[in-house]
């Protein structure tokens, strides 16, 4: 059975959440976050959850896959896929097959794992192997991943060394006995995919303004609070650029100005990688409709009706 859904994806700071809230409100639907870090409690400003957006309309829009695990836990793609399918199934039972769920976010890998029903093996972490792989350069790791598992290479963010290391960890594993694999639902999502697209200069300006707003709202204090609760420096580094850069500031390794300059550069680089990923989705079999900042909710709904 095919079940229609609407996807609003795109780079960071392009207004995905606000647009998704308006679409969900118009359809009486709910939002499912496709973000690898918004799953963590307490990572609010650093991951740009924009939780106030969901309260902007009446009734407030229910959301899923946000604030579901502690930041000390390592949350895998395998777990995300399982949790997402479970949340979607509950929504389907409540709303029926004619109300499309709204999938929103910037983590292209997580989105495609849901839309394309990736068959994922639950391979345990191997700290010794991971440490060994981390010593090698990204190009070497990518080449070996292509040899070991071309399929896994094709669905891995090859610009992210941590994800390439994890993919190789999976490819190199030699499990004995039965290994858990994805439990796929009986329905298949039929998506209409909208990807936000901004002029590069305008997006850079928006990213800079958003970063300053997040810092003014207490992003440094958010990281300090996580540290005060016992989160290690290593774990903060693993949680992404905002937490890594601010941790360096808190340790006295960077000045405030250097931290802000480096973080701004990293976020802009992230946006570029996200643009590349979403442009490549059509090559991987998913039709994409690019939308600009002037696209309205009515535009989205009118175009979606032609596909759902």
């Amino acid at each position: 059975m095919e079940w229609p859904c609407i996807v609003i994806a795109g780079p960071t700071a392009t207004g995905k959440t606000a647009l998704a809230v308006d679409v969900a409100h118009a359809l009486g639907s709910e939002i499912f976050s496709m973000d690898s870090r918004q799953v963590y409690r307490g990572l609010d400003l650093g991951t740009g959850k924009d939780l106030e957006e969901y309260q902007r309309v009446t009734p407030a829009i229910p959301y899923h896959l946000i604030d579901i695990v502690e930041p000390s836990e390592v949350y895998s793609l395998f777990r995300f896929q399982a949790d997402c399918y479970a949340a979607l199934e509950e929504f389907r039972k409540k709303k029926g097959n004619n109300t499309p769920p709204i999938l929103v976010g910037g983590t292209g890998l997580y989105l495609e794992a849901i839309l394309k029903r990736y068959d994922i093996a639950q391979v345990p972490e191997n700290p010794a192997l991971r440490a060994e792989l981390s010593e090698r350069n990204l190009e070497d790791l990518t080449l070996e991943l292509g040899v070991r598992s071309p399929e896994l290479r094709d669905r891995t963010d090859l610009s992210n060394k941590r994800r390439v290391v994890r993919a190789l960890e999976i490819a190199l594993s030699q499990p004995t006995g039965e290994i858990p694999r994805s439990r796929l639902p009986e329905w298949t999502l039929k998506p209409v995919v909208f990807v936000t697209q901004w002029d590069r200069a305008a997006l850079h300006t928006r990213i800079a303004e958003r970063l300053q707003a997040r810092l003014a709202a207490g992003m440094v204090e958010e990281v300090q609070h996580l540290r005060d609760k016992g989160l290690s420096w290593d774990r903060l580094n693993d949680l992404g650029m905002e937490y890594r850069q601010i941790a360096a500031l808190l340790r006295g390794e960077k000045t405030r100005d250097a931290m802000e300059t480096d973080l701004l550069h990293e976020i802009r680089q992230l946006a570029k990688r996200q643009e590349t990923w979403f442009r490549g989705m059509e090559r991987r079999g998913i039709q994409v409709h690019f939308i600009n900042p002037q696209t309205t909710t009515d535009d989205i709904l009118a175009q979606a009706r032609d596909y759902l």
Side-chain angles (χ1 to χ4, degrees), residues 67-294:
D67 292 339
I68 59 175
V69 292
E70 293 300 322
S72 56
E73 297 182 56
V74 176
Y75 190 76
S76 66
L77 178 61
F78 180 92
R79 286 182 63 188
F80 175 83
Q81 188 192 52
D83 288 343
C84 184
Y85 282 147
L88 284 166
E89 178 61 18
E90 285 299 311
F91 173 77
R92 190 180 71 87
K93 289 177 179 177
K94 179 172 66 174
K95 290 283 192 175
N97 297 329
N98 295 324
T99 301
I102 315 299
L103 278 55
V104 184
T107 306
L109 176 64
Y110 278 42
L111 173 61
E112 289 197 34
I114 299 304
L115 297 183
K116 299 181 75 174
R117 297 164 62 92
Y118 284 173
D119 181 15
I120 305 169
Q122 188 182 28
V123 175
E125 292 180 19
N126 183 332
L129 175 60
R130 184 172 294 190
E132 178 185 334
L133 294 173
S134 297
E135 294 296 319
R136 295 160 57 184
N137 64 55
L138 181 58
E139 182 179 6
D140 180 44
L141 294 169
T142 302
L143 288 172
E144 182 169 353
L145 179 60
V147 172
R148 300 278 184 177
S149 176
E151 181 185 2
L152 197 52
R153 176 201 59 198
D154 290 344
R155 66 190 202 208
T156 298
D157 179 358
L158 300 179
S159 66
N160 187 313
K161 185 175 180 180
R162 180 174 58 84
R163 288 182 179 161
V164 174
V165 166
R166 174 57 179 163
L168 251 182
E169 183 181 32
I170 293 170
L172 291 168
S173 66
Q174 297 292 330
T176 57
E178 196 69 27
I179 184 168
R181 301 193 72 89
S182 298
R183 296 183 63 184
L184 303 176
E186 59 187 28
W187 39 262
T188 300
L189 290 173
K190 177 187 176 186
V192 52
V193 180
F194 298 95
V195 173
T196 53
Q197 190 173 46
W198 285 60
D199 170 77
R200 181 63 55 82
L203 180 56
H204 281 190
T205 298
R206 186 176 171 92
I207 287 171
E209 292 173 349
R210 189 169 184 246
L211 174 57
Q212 289 305 314
R214 292 156 75 198
L215 289 167
M219 190 159 66
V220 172
E221 291 77 8
E222 176 174 288
V223 180
Q224 181 64 67
H225 179 66
L226 292 168
R227 177 65 182 161
D228 292 342
K229 289 180 65 176
L231 217 60
S232 70
W233 295 120
D234 285 344
R235 182 58 181 151
L236 286 170
N237 288 341
D238 288 342
L239 289 171
M241 64 195 83
E242 295 86 356
Y243 300 92
R244 180 175 61 253
Q245 291 289 349
I246 293 175
L249 170 69
L250 295 176
R251 290 196 301 267
E253 297 172 1
K254 289 189 177 184
T255 65
R256 175 80 179 221
D257 286 347
M259 180 274 290
E260 291 187 18
T261 298
D262 292 347
L263 181 51
L264 178 60
H265 174 73
E266 284 202 56
I267 297 173
R268 286 173 172 170
Q269 289 299 111
L270 168 65
K272 185 177 180 179
R273 293 194 301 271
Q274 289 173 312
E275 288 173 338
T276 300
W277 182 284
F278 290 118
R279 283 198 302 269
M281 284 179 68
E282 287 196 299
R283 187 178 69 251
R284 296 187 294 273
I286 298 175
Q287 185 176 6
V288 172
H289 306 275
F290 288 98
I291 57 177
N292 60 45
Q294 285 71 49

Side-chain angles (χ1 to χ4, degrees), residues 45-74:
L45 294 167
T47 64
K49 287 177 184 172
D50 297 330
L51 296 177
E52 67 281 356
E53 283 288 345
Y54 300 96
Q55 309 295 323
R56 178 171 51 80
V57 296
T58 303
I61 301 300
Y63 56 83
H64 305 270
L65 305 166
I66 295 176
D67 292 339
I68 59 175
V69 292
E70 293 300 322
S72 56
E73 297 182 56
V74 176

